[in-house]
Amino acid sequence: MTSKRSDAITKGFERTPQRALLKGTGVPDSQMDRPFIGIATSFTDLIPGHTGMRDLERFIEKGVHSGGGYSFFFGIPGVCDGIAMGHRGMHYSLPTRELIADMIESVAEAHRLDGLVLLTNCDKITPGMLMAAARLDIPCIVVTAGPMMAGRGTEGRRFSFVTDTFEAMARYKAGVIDEKELMVCEDQACPTAGSCQGLFTANTMAILTETLGMSLVRCGTALAVSSLKRRIAFASGERIVKLVQDGITPRQILTRQAFENAIRVDLALGGSSNTVLHLLSIAREAGVELPLKEFDRLSRETPQLASMNPGGKHFMEDLDAAGGVPAVLYQLREKILDNPTLTGPTIKEIIASVAKVDEEVVRPVSDPVRAEGGIAILHGNLAPDGAVVKQSGVSEKMMVFEGRARCFDSEELAMAALMGGNIVAGDLVVIRYEGPKGGPGMREMLAPTAALMGLGLGDSVALITDGRFSGGTRGPCIGHISPEAAEGGPIALVAEGDLILLDIPNRRLELKVDEATLSARRSLWKKPEPKIKGGWLSRYAAMVTSANTGAVLKSE
């Protein structure tokens, strides 16, 4: 390493003012020549997945200094989707992804940092950090803080956040459980620090980060409370200094092969539908062309190998004990493409190192949970630019369904109808004007989808939206419908009582209304007034693109 980015603030008499300010922070002369490593930490007291990060910060810092670097912490905000769910706060969740990427870019460029350790965990924070890494293309390594342990009850029962809070709420409303049992769920659902226990968005993104080669082996599944996570944090601190010295940057790792591998692992595990948005956005920053149709092409040839909570029986702690990401790569080995990683060994070398896989948790390709992957991309006259369904969470009975449209122009109106008993078998709930622009912010719909399941309607009612879903959503729920209603997409033209056909095997979403009727409705449609007219979200709504392109901000 002949020169460093940080030389711009440490070398020459012209940089006397900058060195004075660095000394003002406590940097001694003996450390001025070391690589300057920023540790972007999303620690906060507000999110269970992030409350344990103070501990990991210490180990990353020790690793950086042991490796020969000098570290600087700087803070990155986070939003807990579970806490933000079902009210105005959820408008802000997806937009924070863009803010996080912009903030990391700003700090790293302004201070000429040589490399970054990105300490993250929850839903939009991880993709925001990966977007920044790809955009900056300076040495970076990601540390995901890890999943929480499952709650424990009597007779071996295990509790999880979504099933035992959101769905339990609906079961309580329906009289299936009493207040005492509801309180047990509330007390047991989140027993430790860490991201929620199932294969929700946070844990799916952690797994995909490791698959992409941007974090160390086992980082994606090692529990937040484990000593293994501490050792990974230390090793990541050491590794970033080596990456700076060797000039290894994210775009050398984030290739088309890396994204294809990540999609396959996601499909094999039945992960969150939000990963479609996030992988598209990260690929864009990395300069990799990744069309939406690739998700479906890969889904048709990648079997689902695991039955993970919320739709299945296994928790993240089970996947970690079964061998984590390397175990999934091993089972998919004939379909996985070789690619370098930041860790040193290539993907194929990681696969070759696998000694044993618990095949009860990660099944072989010859004996899959389902023949196709966990995510499907639908098209049709209702979604010309595509829609996304987590088919791993849909029962066989609902893979093909025709229902009567029940139209709601907000999540709140749909939720009131569900909880008021106004949705019955044969209905198809349409929630619109909740897309990237219309929401704004493309709110997650965990509350209505969990209510659907909790009320026992998962095999008789479907739900579609131009918004999106939590990674914890299961059931016949189709999101990301593009174009969205606020852009005049066909979902805006659906009328109460229209018949809609959902055909997941044939990837179709069709509004069974003739074109002449739709044309007449289209001529009467008027663009609605923005729901939020001030602050950051009004600027976001003006700049955000469609869900089928990742809901990224326009660059010009």
Side-chain angles (χ1 to χ4, degrees):
M1 183 175 60
T2 57
S3 63
K4 309 187 302 299
R5 282 165 50 93
S6 59
D7 289 348
I9 60 172
T10 62
K11 299 293 185 184
F13 74 91
E14 303 93 339
R15 301 306 178 197
T16 298
Q18 283 88 346
R19 288 194 299 273
L21 289 166
L22 288 167
K23 288 180 179 180
T25 71
V27 180
D29 282 320
S30 63
Q31 305 297 300
M32 288 289 181
D33 283 335
R34 292 193 175 201
F36 280 8
I37 306 300
I39 303 175
T41 173
S42 52
F43 165 80
T44 173
D45 287 327
L46 287 166
I47 309 176
H50 294 237
T51 55
M53 286 184 176
R54 283 288 181 250
D55 187 45
L56 296 179
E57 288 171 2
R58 292 175 57 236
F59 282 86
I60 294 170
E61 183 179 35
K62 289 176 183 179
V64 169
H65 287 268
S66 296
Y70 192 90
S71 64
F72 300 87
F73 289 105
F74 63 96
I76 295 298
V79 165
C80 177
D81 282 18
I83 295 174
M85 197 74 65
H87 56 83
R88 180 183 174 92
M90 182 47 74
H91 289 291
Y92 288 87
S93 176
L94 182 60
T96 63
R97 186 188 70 179
E98 316 306 312
L99 294 175
I100 288 163
D102 290 350
M103 291 176 69
I104 293 171
E105 175 194 356
S106 299
V107 173
E109 293 286 44
H111 295 268
R112 307 311 296 159
L113 297 171
D114 297 305
L116 296 170
V117 180
L118 305 171
L119 179 56
T120 175
N121 214 20
C122 288
D123 294 23
K124 311 308 168 296
I125 306 157
T126 300
M129 289 190 170
L130 284 167
M131 289 168 66
R135 183 188 304 171
L136 286 163
D137 200 33
I138 65 173
C140 295
I141 193 166
V142 179
V143 178
T144 48
M148 67 171 63
M149 296 180 67
R152 300 284 173 170
T154 58
E155 299 179 354
R157 179 182 173 184
R158 293 194 290 178
F159 292 80
S160 73
F161 170 65
V162 172
T163 305
D164 293 301
T165 57
F166 280 93
E167 291 186 19
M169 173 182 64
R171 291 197 298 274
Y172 171 74
K173 174 70 175 179
V176 177
I177 61 175
D178 60 19
E179 186 174 358
K180 181 178 179 181
E181 186 170 351
L182 183 66
M183 183 57 67
V184 171
C185 291
E186 181 178 322
D187 289 342
Q188 295 295 327
C190 298
T192 69
S195 49
C196 303
Q197 307 98 326
L199 199 58
F200 312 143
T201 305
N203 291 326
T204 308
M205 283 307 305
I207 285 168
L208 300 193
T209 301
E210 181 180 335
T211 306
L212 286 167
M214 289 296 293
S215 61
L216 296 185
V217 174
R218 294 288 299 282
C219 188
T221 57
L223 295 178
V225 294
S226 66
S227 60
L228 175 59
K229 184 62 76 175
R230 286 177 164 187
R231 297 195 297 273
I232 288 171
F234 180 90
S236 298
E238 281 192 312
R239 184 64 184 163
I240 188 60
V241 181
K242 181 65 172 170
L243 294 174
V244 170
Q245 292 167 345
D246 293 345
I248 299 173
T249 64
R251 291 197 183 189
Q252 297 170 34
I253 307 301
L254 295 173
T255 65
R256 176 55 188 265
Q257 294 93 316
F259 284 101
E260 188 165 317
N261 289 340
I263 294 170
R264 285 195 189 277
V265 167
D266 190 4
L267 295 168
L269 290 172
S272 167
S273 59
N274 281 315
T275 57
V276 176
L277 287 176
H278 300 324
L279 288 176
L280 289 172
S281 66
I282 298 161
R284 177 176 178 268
E285 295 287 0
V288 173
E289 185 178 353
L290 187 65
L292 180 63
K293 64 182 180 182
E294 285 300 286
F295 288 82
D296 204 60
R297 177 183 72 82
L298 295 170
S299 182
R300 290 185 181 276
E301 60 184 55
T302 305
Q304 183 186 338
L305 303 181
S307 175
M308 297 292 295
N309 178 279
K313 62 182 180 179
H314 292 121
F315 290 73
M316 285 296 293
E317 58 198 52
D318 303 320
L319 180 59
D320 187 52
V325 172
V328 185
L329 292 170
Y330 179 83
Q331 299 292 52
L332 290 172
R333 58 192 178 278
E334 300 302 326
K335 298 178 182 293
I336 293 295
L337 303 172
D338 204 10
N339 201 66
T341 72
L342 293 177
T343 64
T346 68
I347 292 293
K348 289 291 189 181
E349 288 170 340
I350 291 171
I351 291 172
S353 71
V354 175
K356 185 180 179 182
V357 176
D358 182 347
E359 295 194 338
E360 181 184 348
V361 178
V362 187
R363 293 163 71 164
V365 170
S366 59
D367 182 28
V369 175
R370 290 192 180 189
E372 292 186 345
I375 290 173
I377 308 299
L378 311 183
H379 287 86
N381 68 345
L382 194 48
D385 293 336
V388 178
V389 60
K390 183 177 176 179
Q391 63 175 342
S392 59
V394 181
S395 69
E396 288 297 326
K397 180 179 179 180
M398 293 298 289
M399 293 295 279
V400 178
F401 175 76
E402 185 172 286
R404 303 174 299 271
R406 301 295 311 281
C407 300
F408 305 95
D409 289 351
S410 72
E411 176 189 2
E412 288 81 1
L413 291 172
M415 189 65 180
L418 276 162
M419 298 306 283
N422 296 321
I423 301 299
V424 299
D427 286 346
L428 194 149
V429 177
V430 179
I431 306 178
R432 57 194 176 191
Y433 298 103
E434 290 287 5
K437 288 181 179 294
M442 205 179 180
R443 289 193 290 176
E444 284 187 351
M445 304 287 171
L446 179 56
T449 61
L452 194 74
M453 299 303 292
L455 292 169
L457 297 173
D459 280 341
S460 60
V461 173
L463 185 153
I464 67 172
T465 181
D466 54 5
R468 62 192 178 90
F469 301 121
S470 162
T473 289
R474 61 191 180 103
C477 303
I478 293 81
H480 304 204
I481 290 179
S482 302
E484 62 175 291
E487 288 288 311
I491 191 173
L493 308 179
V494 181
E496 192 82 2
D498 284 350
L499 290 179
I500 295 174
L501 173 65
L502 167 64
D503 184 348
I504 296 175
N506 290 305
R507 306 301 199 255
R508 304 303 295 169
L509 186 61
E510 296 284 347
L511 175 61
K512 302 187 80 172
V513 174
D514 63 80
E515 185 53 43
T517 302
L518 288 178
S519 181
R521 292 179 186 175
R522 191 174 290 110
S523 68
L524 298 173
W525 180 82
K526 293 182 180 179
K527 191 176 182 69
E529 284 290 311
K531 292 180 181 177
I532 296 176
K533 297 182 180 180
W536 147 239
L537 288 182
S538 65
R539 299 195 302 276
Y540 176 86
M543 298 175 65
V544 71
T545 64
S546 178
N548 67 298
T549 59
V552 297
L553 298 185
K554 298 173 185 175
S555 57
E556 56 183 39

